[in-house]
Amino acid sequence: MFTHANAQTRPRDLGLTIGVLPAGNLNAITDVAGVKVGQVTLLEGRNIRTGVTAILPHDGNIFQNKVPAAVFVGNGFGKLAGSTQVEELGTLETPIILTNTLSVPTAADALIDWTLAQAGNENVRSVNPLVGETNDGGLNDIRGRHVTKDHVLTALRTAETGAVAEGNVGAGTGTVAFGWKGGIGTASRKLPARLGGYTIGVLVQTNFGGVLQVNGVPVGEELGQYSFKQSLDKSSDGSCMMIVATDAPLDARNLKRLAQRAMLGLARTGGIASNGSGDYVVAFSTANRVPHSTDDRTTAVVVLHNDFVSPLFLGAIEATEEAIINSLFMAETSTGFQGHKVEKLPTEKVFELMKKYGRGK
């Protein structure tokens, strides 16, 4: 039974359940124990609509105690700084920062400062900061480069477990998805005990186009708002950053496979990974630590067998799909740079369509 769709209410709270696996307690990336999220939102005057979102895989010194990680590139029109080392070594040694396109260098510089300042890193001379982005230049004065190192450091310092703000916040403050206001979204899945009991959490920064589908319903088509409706233009261009966290003991190889499945979640929402879209997935596991320095020539770790990873794949697909939809439901209409206005998703109409198509639980 659907309830009245109020402003900034998650679809699950209104009776719309996406997928078949149960969500975690928070239905957020922070359902993966130890994962923290910090956000700084810049909403100033008429033209500044941007921000920073930081994701920390654990509480400790991440450089000294790295986590297994992988990157998957759905479409490479973007600037994911630090990705090649993650791919080469299979580890993440800093928090992940999301921001706008022209603030990637600033964020990387701040992330280096953060890492060098950690106790135990006094002799560190090489850091691989991982920074992702989407271009919020429609609503934000992106050329002004208003994100500072202090903003990034504040997001890192204030990161916490618990509920994660969504919509027009952090790195999603000025983003647009499917022609409506996008933003930050998050969701999770908790596997039943018989399937391992593992948790998969996803956080997205949505800023891309396509033909929106909500739980299989062709919302974009029904509402007459979708890419290439009038002509072959660039309305579908944009980007989506997807961060996947899990407590399942996966190595970098299976994390890459997990990251690939997040793109299927994007596709289920109607995203098309257009020519101008930077669609990246970063996946990491909190189950094991990879020490920066060791005297041992070999290491023995427990990793999940290939035959048991499929439920995690489904969890990543469902959580990514729901996180993207959450980013739309939780966003509000925004007016920004040069008076450009982007309307929020008309959730009342969406729920009318849900009823028309008999979707939901």
Side-chain angles (χ1 to χ4, degrees), residues 99-171:
T99 188
N100 73 63
T101 304
L102 296 187
S103 295
V104 170
T106 298
D109 199 16
L111 201 44
I112 291 171
D113 284 354
W114 168 269
T115 303
L116 294 180
Q118 301 297 300
N121 292 352
E122 292 79 10
N123 296 319
V124 171
R125 289 178 171 79
S126 175
V127 178
N128 185 53
L130 190 64
V131 182
E133 53 79 31
T134 71
N135 193 312
D136 57 15
L139 285 169
N140 175 52
D141 172 25
I142 193 169
R143 287 174 59 92
R145 290 178 283 177
H146 301 285
V147 172
T148 68
K149 289 170 65 174
D150 283 343
H151 294 137
V152 179
L153 293 171
T154 297
L156 289 163
R157 185 175 61 252
T158 60
E160 57 186 5
T161 59
V164 177
E166 298 173 291
N168 306 29
V169 294

Side-chain angles (χ1 to χ4, degrees), residues 19-25 27-28 31-32 187-201 244-250 258 304-319:
V20 298
L21 292 173
N25 290 333
N27 196 20
D31 280 316
V32 178
S188 70
R189 293 294 183 269
K190 174 74 172 179
L191 298 186
R194 66 183 182 278
L195 297 178
Y198 303 116
T199 299
I200 310 99
V244 181
T246 185
D247 56 8
L250 300 184
L258 189 70
L304 197 63
H305 192 283
N306 289 339
D307 290 347
F308 296 91
V309 299
S310 292
L312 293 168
F313 292 167
L314 178 58
I317 293 168
E318 290 189 2

Side-chain angles (χ1 to χ4, degrees), residues 175 181 184 186 191 217 298 313 323 327:
T175 62
K181 183 66 188 71
I184 295 296
T186 189
L191 298 186
V217 174
T298 60
F313 292 167
S327 78

Side-chain angles (χ1 to χ4, degrees), residues 162-236:
V164 177
E166 298 173 291
N168 306 29
V169 294
T173 304
T175 62
V176 181
F178 297 105
W180 287 288
K181 183 66 188 71
I184 295 296
T186 189
S188 70
R189 293 294 183 269
K190 174 74 172 179
L191 298 186
R194 66 183 182 278
L195 297 178
Y198 303 116
T199 299
I200 310 99
V202 175
L203 182 144
V204 298
Q205 176 192 19
T206 60
N207 192 53
F208 63 98
V211 186
L212 177 63
Q213 295 185 56
V214 178
N215 214 17
V217 174
V219 171
E221 183 177 355
E222 285 275 7
L223 297 183
Q225 181 157 306
Y226 54 89
S227 299
F228 315 124
K229 178 173 182 286
Q230 300 298 332
S231 62
L232 288 175
D233 57 25
K234 295 184 66 177
S235 62
S236 64

